[in-house]
Coordinates of all heavy atoms in Angstrom, one line a residue:
M1 N -25.4 -41.9 32.2 CA -24.5 -42.0 33.4 C -23.5 -40.9 33.4 O -22.9 -40.6 32.4 CB -23.8 -43.4 33.4 CG -22.9 -43.6 34.6 SD -22.2 -45.2 34.5 CE -21.3 -45.2 36.0
N2 N -23.4 -40.2 34.5 CA -22.5 -39.1 34.6 C -21.1 -39.6 35.1 O -21.0 -40.2 36.1 CB -23.0 -38.1 35.7 CG -22.2 -36.8 35.7 OD1 -21.2 -36.6 35.0 ND2 -22.6 -35.9 36.6
N3 N -20.1 -39.3 34.3 CA -18.8 -39.8 34.5 C -17.9 -38.6 35.1 O -16.7 -38.7 34.9 CB -18.1 -40.4 33.3 CG -18.8 -41.7 32.9 OD1 -19.2 -42.5 33.8 ND2 -19.0 -41.9 31.6
R4 N -18.5 -37.7 35.7 CA -17.8 -36.5 36.1 C -18.3 -35.9 37.4 O -19.5 -35.9 37.7 CB -17.9 -35.4 35.0 CG -17.1 -34.1 35.3 CD -17.3 -33.2 34.1 NE -16.6 -32.0 34.2 CZ -15.4 -31.7 33.8 NH1 -14.7 -32.7 33.2 NH2 -14.9 -30.6 34.0
I5 N -17.4 -35.5 38.3 CA -17.8 -34.8 39.5 C -17.1 -33.4 39.5 O -15.9 -33.3 39.1 CB -17.3 -35.6 40.8 CG1 -18.0 -36.9 40.9 CG2 -17.5 -34.7 42.1 CD1 -17.4 -37.8 42.0
E6 N -17.8 -32.4 39.8 CA -17.3 -31.0 39.8 C -17.5 -30.4 41.2 O -18.7 -30.4 41.7 CB -17.9 -30.2 38.8 CG -17.6 -30.6 37.4 CD -18.2 -29.7 36.3 OE1 -19.0 -28.8 36.7 OE2 -18.0 -30.0 35.1
I7 N -16.5 -29.8 41.8 CA -16.6 -29.1 43.0 C -16.0 -27.7 42.8 O -14.8 -27.5 42.5 CB -15.9 -29.8 44.2 CG1 -16.5 -31.2 44.4 CG2 -16.0 -29.0 45.5 CD1 -15.7 -32.1 45.3
D8 N -16.9 -26.6 43.0 CA -16.4 -25.2 42.8 C -15.6 -24.8 44.1 O -16.1 -24.8 45.2 CB -17.6 -24.3 42.7 CG -17.3 -22.9 42.4 OD1 -16.1 -22.6 42.4 OD2 -18.2 -22.1 42.2
L9 N -14.3 -24.5 43.8 CA -13.4 -24.1 44.9 C -13.3 -22.5 45.0 O -12.6 -22.0 45.8 CB -12.0 -24.7 44.6 CG -12.0 -26.2 44.6 CD1 -10.5 -26.6 44.2 CD2 -12.4 -26.8 45.8
G10 N -14.0 -21.8 44.1 CA -13.9 -20.4 44.1 C -12.9 -19.9 43.0 O -13.3 -19.2 42.1
F11 N -11.7 -20.3 43.2 CA -10.6 -19.9 42.3 C -10.5 -20.8 41.0 O -9.9 -20.5 40.0 CB -9.3 -19.9 43.0 CG -8.8 -21.2 43.6 CD1 -8.1 -22.1 42.8 CD2 -9.2 -21.6 44.9 CE1 -7.7 -23.3 43.3 CE2 -8.9 -22.8 45.4 CZ -8.1 -23.7 44.6
A12 N -11.1 -22.0 41.2 CA -11.1 -23.0 40.1 C -12.1 -24.1 40.4 O -12.7 -24.1 41.5 CB -9.8 -23.6 39.9
T13 N -12.3 -25.1 39.5 CA -13.2 -26.2 39.8 C -12.5 -27.5 39.9 O -11.7 -27.8 39.0 CB -14.3 -26.3 38.7 OG1 -15.0 -25.1 38.5 CG2 -15.2 -27.5 38.9
L14 N -12.6 -28.1 41.0 CA -11.9 -29.4 41.2 C -12.8 -30.5 40.5 O -14.0 -30.5 40.6 CB -11.9 -29.8 42.7 CG -11.3 -31.2 43.0 CD1 -9.8 -31.2 42.7 CD2 -11.4 -31.4 44.5
T15 N -12.2 -31.2 39.5 CA -12.9 -32.2 38.7 C -12.4 -33.6 38.9 O -11.2 -33.8 39.1 CB -12.9 -31.8 37.2 OG1 -11.5 -31.9 36.8 CG2 -13.4 -30.4 37.0
V16 N -13.3 -34.5 38.8 CA -12.9 -35.9 38.7 C -13.6 -36.5 37.5 O -14.8 -36.4 37.4 CB -13.4 -36.7 40.0 CG1 -13.0 -38.1 39.9 CG2 -12.8 -36.0 41.3
D17 N -12.8 -37.0 36.6 CA -13.4 -37.5 35.3 C -13.0 -39.0 35.2 O -11.8 -39.4 35.4 CB -12.8 -36.8 34.1 CG -13.3 -35.4 33.9 OD1 -14.5 -35.3 33.8 OD2 -12.5 -34.4 33.9
K18 N -14.0 -39.8 34.7 CA -13.7 -41.2 34.4 C -13.1 -41.2 33.0 O -13.5 -40.4 32.1 CB -15.0 -42.0 34.4 CG -14.8 -43.5 34.1 CD -16.2 -44.2 34.2 CE -16.0 -45.6 33.9 NZ -15.6 -46.0 32.6
S19 N -12.2 -42.1 32.8 CA -11.5 -42.2 31.5 C -12.5 -42.5 30.4 O -13.3 -43.4 30.6 CB -10.4 -43.3 31.6 OG -9.9 -43.5 30.3
A20 N -12.3 -41.9 29.3 CA -13.1 -42.2 28.1 C -12.3 -43.0 27.1 O -12.8 -43.4 26.1 CB -13.5 -40.9 27.4
D21 N -11.0 -43.3 27.5 CA -10.1 -44.1 26.6 C -10.5 -45.6 26.8 O -10.4 -46.1 27.9 CB -8.7 -43.8 27.1 CG -7.7 -44.5 26.2 OD1 -8.0 -45.5 25.5 OD2 -6.5 -44.1 26.2
P22 N -10.9 -46.2 25.7 CA -11.2 -47.7 25.8 C -10.1 -48.6 26.2 O -10.3 -49.7 26.7 CB -11.8 -48.0 24.4 CG -11.2 -47.0 23.5 CD -11.0 -45.7 24.3
I23 N -8.9 -48.1 26.0 CA -7.7 -48.9 26.3 C -7.5 -48.9 27.9 O -7.0 -49.8 28.5 CB -6.4 -48.5 25.6 CG1 -6.6 -48.7 24.1 CG2 -5.2 -49.2 26.1 CD1 -5.5 -48.1 23.2
F24 N -7.8 -47.7 28.5 CA -7.6 -47.5 29.9 C -8.9 -47.1 30.6 O -9.1 -46.0 31.1 CB -6.5 -46.5 30.2 CG -5.2 -46.9 29.8 CD1 -4.6 -46.4 28.6 CD2 -4.5 -47.8 30.5 CE1 -3.4 -46.7 28.2 CE2 -3.2 -48.2 30.1 CZ -2.6 -47.7 28.9
P25 N -9.9 -48.0 30.6 CA -11.2 -47.6 31.1 C -11.3 -47.6 32.6 O -12.3 -47.1 33.2 CB -12.2 -48.7 30.5 CG -11.3 -49.9 30.5 CD -9.9 -49.4 30.0
K26 N -10.3 -48.1 33.3 CA -10.3 -48.2 34.7 C -9.5 -47.2 35.4 O -8.7 -47.4 36.3 CB -9.8 -49.6 35.1 CG -10.6 -50.8 34.5 CD -10.0 -52.1 34.7 CE -10.9 -53.2 34.0 NZ -10.5 -54.5 34.3
E27 N -9.6 -45.9 34.9 CA -8.8 -44.8 35.4 C -9.8 -43.6 35.7 O -10.8 -43.5 35.0 CB -7.8 -44.3 34.4 CG -6.7 -45.3 34.2 CD -5.6 -44.8 33.3 OE1 -5.7 -43.7 32.7 OE2 -4.6 -45.5 33.2
I28 N -9.4 -42.8 36.7 CA -10.0 -41.5 36.9 C -8.9 -40.5 36.9 O -7.8 -40.7 37.4 CB -10.9 -41.5 38.1 CG1 -10.1 -41.7 39.4 CG2 -12.1 -42.4 38.1 CD1 -10.9 -41.4 40.7
Y29 N -9.3 -39.3 36.5 CA -8.4 -38.1 36.5 C -8.9 -37.0 37.4 O -10.1 -36.7 37.3 CB -8.2 -37.6 35.1 CG -7.9 -38.7 34.1 CD1 -8.8 -39.1 33.1 CD2 -6.7 -39.4 34.2 CE1 -8.5 -40.1 32.2 CE2 -6.4 -40.4 33.3 CZ -7.3 -40.8 32.3 OH -7.0 -41.8 31.4
I30 N -8.1 -36.5 38.3 CA -8.4 -35.5 39.2 C -7.6 -34.3 38.8 O -6.4 -34.3 38.7 CB -8.1 -35.9 40.6 CG1 -8.9 -37.2 41.0 CG2 -8.5 -34.8 41.6 CD1 -8.4 -37.9 42.2
G31 N -8.3 -33.1 38.7 CA -7.6 -31.9 38.3 C -8.3 -30.7 38.5 O -9.4 -30.7 39.1
L32 N -7.8 -29.6 38.1 CA -8.4 -28.3 38.2 C -8.8 -27.7 36.8 O -8.0 -27.8 35.9 CB -7.5 -27.3 38.9 CG -7.1 -27.6 40.4 CD1 -6.1 -26.6 40.9 CD2 -8.4 -27.6 41.2
E33 N -9.9 -27.1 36.8 CA -10.4 -26.4 35.5 C -10.8 -25.0 35.9 O -11.2 -24.7 37.1 CB -11.6 -27.1 34.9 CG -11.3 -28.3 34.2 CD -12.5 -28.9 33.4 OE1 -13.6 -28.3 33.5 OE2 -12.3 -29.9 32.8
K34 N -10.7 -24.1 35.0 CA -11.3 -22.7 35.2 C -11.8 -22.3 33.8 O -11.2 -22.4 32.8 CB -10.2 -21.8 35.6 CG -10.8 -20.4 36.0 CD -9.8 -19.5 36.7 CE -10.5 -18.3 37.1 NZ -9.8 -17.5 38.1
D35 N -13.1 -21.8 33.9 CA -13.8 -21.3 32.7 C -13.8 -22.4 31.6 O -13.5 -22.1 30.4 CB -13.2 -20.0 32.2 CG -13.3 -18.9 33.2 OD1 -14.3 -18.9 34.0 OD2 -12.3 -18.1 33.3
G36 N -13.9 -23.7 31.9 CA -14.0 -24.8 31.0 C -12.6 -25.2 30.4 O -12.6 -26.1 29.6
Q37 N -11.5 -24.6 30.9 CA -10.2 -25.0 30.4 C -9.5 -25.7 31.5 O -9.5 -25.4 32.7 CB -9.4 -23.7 30.1 CG -10.0 -22.9 29.0 CD -9.9 -23.6 27.7 OE1 -8.9 -24.2 27.3 NE2 -11.0 -23.5 26.9
W38 N -8.8 -26.9 31.1 CA -8.0 -27.7 32.0 C -6.8 -26.9 32.5 O -6.1 -26.4 31.7 CB -7.6 -29.0 31.4 CG -7.1 -30.0 32.3 CD1 -5.8 -30.3 32.5 CD2 -7.8 -30.9 33.1 NE1 -5.7 -31.3 33.4 CE2 -6.9 -31.7 33.8 CE3 -9.2 -31.0 33.3 CZ2 -7.3 -32.6 34.8 CZ3 -9.6 -32.0 34.3 CH2 -8.7 -32.8 35.0
L39 N -6.6 -26.7 33.8 CA -5.5 -25.9 34.3 C -4.3 -26.8 34.8 O -3.2 -26.5 34.5 CB -5.9 -25.1 35.6 CG -6.9 -23.9 35.4 CD1 -7.2 -23.3 36.7 CD2 -6.2 -22.9 34.5
Q40 N -4.7 -27.9 35.5 CA -3.6 -28.6 36.2 C -4.1 -30.0 36.6 O -5.2 -30.2 37.1 CB -3.3 -27.8 37.5 CG -2.2 -28.3 38.4 CD -2.0 -27.4 39.5 OE1 -2.3 -26.2 39.5 NE2 -1.4 -27.9 40.6
D41 N -3.2 -31.0 36.4 CA -3.4 -32.3 36.9 C -3.1 -32.4 38.4 O -2.1 -31.8 38.8 CB -2.5 -33.3 36.2 CG -2.8 -33.5 34.7 OD1 -4.0 -33.4 34.3 OD2 -1.8 -33.7 33.9
I42 N -3.9 -33.1 39.1 CA -3.7 -33.3 40.5 C -3.3 -34.8 40.7 O -2.3 -35.1 41.4 CB -4.9 -33.0 41.4 CG1 -5.4 -31.6 41.1 CG2 -4.7 -33.3 42.8 CD1 -4.4 -30.5 41.6
A43 N -4.1 -35.8 40.2 CA -3.8 -37.2 40.4 C -4.5 -38.0 39.3 O -5.5 -37.6 38.8 CB -4.2 -37.6 41.8
T44 N -3.9 -39.2 39.1 CA -4.6 -40.2 38.4 C -4.7 -41.4 39.3 O -3.7 -41.8 39.9 CB -3.7 -40.6 37.1 OG1 -3.6 -39.4 36.3 CG2 -4.4 -41.7 36.3
V45 N -5.8 -42.1 39.3 CA -6.0 -43.3 40.1 C -6.5 -44.3 39.1 O -7.5 -44.1 38.4 CB -7.1 -43.0 41.2 CG1 -7.3 -44.3 42.0 CG2 -6.7 -41.8 42.1
A46 N -5.8 -45.5 39.1 CA -6.2 -46.6 38.2 C -5.9 -47.9 38.8 O -5.2 -48.1 39.8 CB -5.3 -46.4 37.0
Q47 N -6.5 -48.9 38.2 CA -6.1 -50.3 38.5 C -4.7 -50.5 38.0 O -4.3 -50.1 36.9 CB -7.1 -51.3 37.9 CG -6.8 -52.7 38.3 CD -7.8 -53.7 37.7 OE1 -8.8 -53.3 37.0 NE2 -7.6 -55.0 38.0
E48 N -3.9 -51.2 38.9 CA -2.5 -51.5 38.5 C -2.6 -52.4 37.2 O -3.4 -53.2 37.0 CB -1.8 -52.4 39.5 CG -1.4 -51.6 40.7 CD -0.6 -52.5 41.7 OE1 -0.2 -53.6 41.4 OE2 -0.4 -52.0 42.8
H49 N -1.6 -52.1 36.3 CA -1.5 -52.8 35.0 C -0.1 -52.8 34.5 O 0.8 -52.1 35.0 CB -2.5 -52.2 34.0 CG -2.1 -50.7 33.7 ND1 -2.7 -49.7 34.5 CD2 -1.4 -50.1 32.8 CE1 -2.2 -48.6 34.0 NE2 -1.4 -48.8 33.0
Y50 N 0.1 -53.7 33.6 CA 1.4 -53.8 32.9 C 1.2 -54.4 31.5 O 0.1 -55.0 31.2 CB 2.4 -54.7 33.7 CG 2.0 -56.1 33.9 CD1 2.5 -57.1 33.0 CD2 1.1 -56.5 34.9 CE1 2.1 -58.4 33.2 CE2 0.7 -57.8 35.1 CZ 1.2 -58.8 34.2 OH 0.8 -60.1 34.4
Y51 N 2.2 -54.4 30.7 CA 2.2 -55.0 29.4 C 3.0 -56.3 29.4 O 4.1 -56.3 29.9 CB 2.7 -54.1 28.3 CG 1.8 -53.0 27.9 CD1 1.8 -51.7 28.6 CD2 0.8 -53.2 27.0 CE1 0.9 -50.7 28.2 CE2 -0.1 -52.2 26.6 CZ 0.0 -50.9 27.3 OH -0.9 -49.9 26.9
K52 N 2.4 -57.3 28.9 CA 3.1 -58.6 28.8 C 2.9 -59.1 27.3 O 1.7 -59.3 26.9 CB 2.5 -59.6 29.7 CG 3.3 -61.0 29.7 CD 2.7 -61.9 30.8 CE 3.5 -63.2 30.8 NZ 3.1 -64.1 31.8
N53 N 4.0 -59.3 26.6 CA 3.9 -59.7 25.2 C 3.0 -58.7 24.4 O 2.3 -59.1 23.5 CB 3.4 -61.1 25.0 CG 4.4 -62.1 25.7 OD1 5.6 -61.9 25.8 ND2 3.8 -63.1 26.3
G54 N 3.1 -57.4 24.7 CA 2.3 -56.4 24.0 C 0.9 -56.3 24.4 O 0.1 -55.6 23.8
E55 N 0.5 -57.2 25.4 CA -1.0 -57.2 25.8 C -1.1 -56.5 27.2 O -0.4 -56.8 28.1 CB -1.5 -58.6 25.8 CG -3.0 -58.7 26.1 CD -3.5 -60.1 26.0 OE1 -3.1 -60.8 25.1 OE2 -4.4 -60.4 26.8
L56 N -2.1 -55.6 27.3 CA -2.3 -55.0 28.6 C -3.0 -56.0 29.5 O -3.9 -56.6 29.2 CB -3.3 -53.8 28.3 CG -3.6 -52.9 29.6 CD1 -2.3 -52.3 30.1 CD2 -4.6 -51.9 29.2
T57 N -2.4 -56.1 30.7 CA -2.8 -57.0 31.8 C -3.0 -56.2 33.0 O -2.2 -55.4 33.4 CB -1.8 -58.1 32.0 OG1 -1.5 -58.8 30.8 CG2 -2.2 -59.1 33.0
F58 N -4.2 -56.5 33.7 CA -4.5 -55.7 34.9 C -4.2 -56.6 36.1 O -4.5 -57.8 36.1 CB -6.0 -55.4 34.9 CG -6.3 -54.3 33.9 CD1 -6.8 -54.6 32.7 CD2 -6.1 -53.0 34.2 CE1 -7.0 -53.6 31.7 CE2 -6.4 -52.0 33.3 CZ -6.8 -52.3 32.1
N59 N -3.6 -56.0 37.2 CA -3.4 -56.6 38.5 C -4.4 -56.3 39.5 O -5.2 -55.3 39.3 CB -2.0 -56.1 39.0 CG -0.8 -56.7 38.3 OD1 -0.9 -57.7 37.6 ND2 0.3 -56.0 38.4
E60 N -4.4 -57.0 40.6 CA -5.3 -56.6 41.7 C -4.5 -55.6 42.5 O -3.6 -56.0 43.2 CB -5.6 -57.9 42.5 CG -6.6 -57.6 43.6 CD -7.1 -58.9 44.3 OE1 -7.9 -59.6 43.7 OE2 -6.5 -59.1 45.4
G61 N -4.9 -54.4 42.4 CA -4.2 -53.3 43.2 C -4.6 -52.0 42.5 O -5.1 -51.9 41.4
I62 N -4.2 -50.9 43.2 CA -4.5 -49.6 42.7 C -3.2 -48.8 42.6 O -2.3 -48.9 43.4 CB -5.4 -48.8 43.8 CG1 -6.7 -49.6 44.0 CG2 -5.7 -47.4 43.3 CD1 -7.6 -49.8 42.8
R63 N -3.1 -48.1 41.5 CA -1.9 -47.2 41.2 C -2.4 -45.8 41.3 O -3.3 -45.4 40.6 CB -1.4 -47.6 39.9 CG -0.2 -46.7 39.5 CD 0.3 -47.2 38.1 NE 1.5 -46.5 37.7 CZ 1.7 -46.1 36.4 NH1 0.8 -46.4 35.5 NH2 2.8 -45.4 36.1
V64 N -1.6 -44.9 42.0 CA -2.0 -43.5 42.1 C -0.7 -42.7 41.7 O 0.4 -42.9 42.2 CB -2.3 -43.1 43.6 CG1 -2.6 -41.6 43.7 CG2 -3.5 -43.9 44.1
L65 N -1.0 -41.8 40.7 CA 0.1 -40.9 40.3 C -0.3 -39.5 40.8 O -1.4 -39.1 40.5 CB 0.2 -40.9 38.8 CG 0.4 -42.3 38.1 CD1 0.4 -42.1 36.6 CD2 1.7 -42.9 38.6
V66 N 0.6 -38.9 41.4 CA 0.4 -37.5 42.0 C 1.3 -36.5 41.2 O 2.4 -36.7 41.0 CB 0.7 -37.5 43.5 CG1 0.5 -36.1 44.0 CG2 -0.2 -38.5 44.2
Y67 N 0.6 -35.4 40.8 CA 1.3 -34.3 40.1 C 1.5 -33.1 41.1 O 0.7 -32.2 41.1 CB 0.5 -33.9 38.9 CG 0.2 -35.0 37.9 CD1 -0.8 -36.0 38.2 CD2 1.0 -35.2 36.8 CE1 -1.0 -37.0 37.3 CE2 0.8 -36.2 35.9 CZ -0.2 -37.2 36.2 OH -0.4 -38.2 35.3
A68 N 2.5 -33.3 41.9 CA 2.7 -32.3 43.0 C 3.4 -31.0 42.5 O 3.3 -30.0 43.2 CB 3.5 -32.9 44.2
D69 N 4.1 -31.0 41.4 CA 4.8 -29.9 40.9 C 3.9 -29.1 40.0 O 3.7 -29.6 38.8 CB 6.1 -30.3 40.3 CG 7.0 -29.1 39.8 OD1 6.5 -27.9 39.8 OD2 8.1 -29.3 39.4
K70 N 3.4 -28.0 40.4 CA 2.5 -27.2 39.5 C 3.1 -26.8 38.2 O 2.4 -26.4 37.2 CB 2.0 -26.0 40.3 CG 3.0 -24.9 40.6 CD 2.4 -23.8 41.3 CE 3.5 -22.7 41.7 NZ 4.3 -22.3 40.6
D71 N 4.4 -26.7 38.1 CA 5.1 -26.3 36.9 C 5.5 -27.4 35.9 O 6.2 -27.1 35.0 CB 6.3 -25.4 37.3 CG 5.9 -24.2 38.0 OD1 4.9 -23.5 37.6 OD2 6.6 -23.8 39.0
S72 N 5.2 -28.6 36.3 CA 5.6 -29.8 35.4 C 4.4 -30.6 35.0 O 3.5 -30.8 35.8 CB 6.6 -30.6 36.2 OG 6.9 -31.8 35.4
E73 N 4.4 -31.1 33.8 CA 3.3 -32.0 33.4 C 3.5 -33.5 33.8 O 2.7 -34.3 33.6 CB 3.2 -31.9 31.8 CG 2.7 -30.6 31.4 CD 2.5 -30.5 29.8 OE1 2.7 -31.6 29.2 OE2 2.1 -29.5 29.4
D74 N 4.7 -33.8 34.3 CA 5.1 -35.1 34.7 C 4.7 -35.4 36.2 O 4.7 -34.5 37.0 CB 6.6 -35.4 34.6 CG 7.0 -35.3 33.1 OD1 6.2 -35.6 32.2 OD2 8.2 -34.8 32.9
Y75 N 4.3 -36.6 36.4 CA 3.9 -36.9 37.8 C 5.2 -36.9 38.7 O 6.3 -37.2 38.2 CB 3.1 -38.2 37.9 CG 3.8 -39.5 37.6 CD1 4.6 -40.2 38.5 CD2 3.7 -40.0 36.3 CE1 5.2 -41.4 38.2 CE2 4.3 -41.2 35.9 CZ 5.1 -41.9 36.9 OH 5.7 -43.0 36.5
T76 N 5.0 -36.6 40.0 CA 6.1 -36.5 40.9 C 6.2 -37.7 41.9 O 7.3 -38.0 42.4 CB 6.0 -35.2 41.7 OG1 4.7 -35.2 42.4 CG2 6.2 -34.0 40.8
N77 N 5.1 -38.3 42.1 CA 5.0 -39.4 43.0 C 4.1 -40.5 42.5 O 3.1 -40.3 41.8 CB 4.4 -39.0 44.4 CG 5.2 -37.8 45.0 OD1 4.9 -36.7 44.7 ND2 6.2 -38.1 45.8
E78 N 4.5 -41.8 42.8 CA 3.7 -42.9 42.4 C 3.5 -43.8 43.6 O 4.5 -44.1 44.3 CB 4.4 -43.7 41.3 CG 3.7 -45.0 40.9 CD 4.4 -45.7 39.8 OE1 5.4 -45.3 39.2 OE2 3.9 -46.8 39.4
F79 N 2.3 -44.2 43.8 CA 2.0 -45.1 45.0 C 1.2 -46.3 44.4 O 0.3 -46.2 43.6 CB 1.1 -44.4 46.0 CG 1.7 -43.1 46.5 CD1 1.4 -41.9 45.9 CD2 2.6 -43.2 47.6 CE1 2.0 -40.7 46.4 CE2 3.1 -42.0 48.1 CZ 2.8 -40.8 47.5
N80 N 1.6 -47.5 44.9 CA 0.9 -48.7 44.6 C 0.2 -49.2 45.9 O 0.8 -49.3 46.9 CB 1.8 -49.8 44.1 CG 2.3 -49.4 42.7 OD1 1.5 -49.1 41.8 ND2 3.6 -49.4 42.5
I81 N -1.1 -49.3 45.8 CA -1.9 -49.6 47.0 C -2.4 -51.0 46.9 O -3.1 -51.4 45.9 CB -3.1 -48.6 47.1 CG1 -2.5 -47.2 47.3 CG2 -3.9 -49.0 48.3 CD1 -3.6 -46.1 47.2
G82 N -2.1 -51.9 47.8 CA -2.6 -53.3 47.8 C -4.0 -53.3 48.3 O -4.6 -52.3 48.8
I83 N -4.7 -54.4 48.1 CA -6.1 -54.6 48.4 C -6.2 -55.4 49.7 O -5.6 -56.5 49.8 CB -6.8 -55.3 47.3 CG1 -6.7 -54.6 46.0 CG2 -8.3 -55.6 47.6 CD1 -7.1 -53.1 46.0
Y84 N -6.9 -54.8 50.7 CA -7.0 -55.5 52.0 C -7.9 -56.7 51.9 O -8.9 -56.8 51.2 CB -7.7 -54.5 52.9 CG -8.1 -55.1 54.3 CD1 -7.2 -55.3 55.3 CD2 -9.5 -55.5 54.5 CE1 -7.5 -55.9 56.5 CE2 -9.8 -56.1 55.7 CZ -8.9 -56.3 56.7 OH -9.2 -56.8 57.9
R85 N -7.4 -57.8 52.5 CA -8.2 -59.0 52.6 C -8.4 -59.4 54.0 O -7.4 -59.5 54.8 CB -7.4 -60.2 51.9 CG -7.2 -60.0 50.4 CD -8.4 -60.4 49.7 NE -8.2 -60.3 48.3 CZ -8.9 -59.5 47.5 NH1 -9.9 -58.8 48.0 NH2 -8.7 -59.5 46.2
E86 N -9.6 -59.5 54.4 CA -9.9 -59.9 55.8 C -9.6 -61.4 55.9 O -10.0 -62.2 55.1 CB -11.4 -59.7 56.1 CG -11.7 -59.9 57.5 CD -13.1 -59.5 57.9 OE1 -13.6 -58.6 57.3 OE2 -13.7 -60.1 58.8
E87 N -8.8 -61.7 56.9 CA -8.4 -63.1 57.2 C -9.6 -63.9 57.9 O -10.1 -63.3 58.8 CB -7.1 -63.2 57.9 CG -6.0 -62.6 57.1 CD -4.6 -62.8 57.9 OE1 -4.5 -63.8 58.6 OE2 -3.8 -61.9 57.6
S88 N -9.8 -65.1 57.5 CA -10.9 -65.9 58.1 C -10.4 -66.6 59.4 O -9.4 -67.0 59.5 CB -11.4 -66.9 57.2 OG -11.5 -66.5 55.9

C-alpha cells in the first residue's frame, strides 16, 4: 500500500505522507521536498485527540495544524473541524 502522494510543482515536490508513527497512526503530513530533502511543513491533518490519565484518547473530529510562517518550525494556526451529521 502506498502511503504517499507526490505532485511535482517544478520548484519542489508537494508531498502528502501518512504517519508511520504507531502512536499517531491517524495523521497525514503535507509539505515540500526538493531532491529528496524535506524543505518545509505545510500542514498536519489528524483525528482530534487528547491525553487522559496518560492515555491517548481520540475524539470525533479533525484537527488541522498549518505552518504558514516559512521561517518557523512551529505551526501558526490550528483548526478543529467538526463532523457533519445529517439530521433525520
Side-chain angles (χ1 to χ4, degrees):
M1 179 179 184
N2 187 359
N3 291 323
R4 183 178 179 94
I5 297 170
E6 296 181 357
I7 301 171
D8 185 357
L9 301 177
F11 61 90
T13 301
L14 180 65
T15 64
V16 179
D17 286 303
K18 182 180 182 294
S19 175
D21 185 339
I23 297 173
F24 295 104
K26 302 173 183 190
E27 294 186 350
I28 61 169
Y29 309 112
I30 304 166
L32 294 176
E33 286 186 358
K34 186 166 185 166
D35 300 325
Q37 298 293 317
W38 193 259
L39 290 179
Q40 181 175 339
D41 292 324
I42 303 293
T44 299
V45 181
Q47 183 176 358
E48 284 183 13
H49 59 273
Y50 63 96
Y51 284 94
K52 183 176 183 178
N53 300 325
E55 186 173 321
L56 184 61
T57 303
F58 290 95
N59 288 336
E60 186 175 281
I62 303 297
R63 179 178 182 219
V64 179
L65 305 177
V66 177
Y67 300 82
D69 183 350
K70 66 178 177 53
D71 297 317
S72 175
E73 293 183 3
D74 297 327
Y75 65 87
T76 56
N77 305 88
E78 177 179 357
F79 303 95
N80 292 308
I81 301 171
I83 304 302
Y84 172 77
R85 295 279 183 240
E86 188 172 328
E87 294 184 31
S88 319

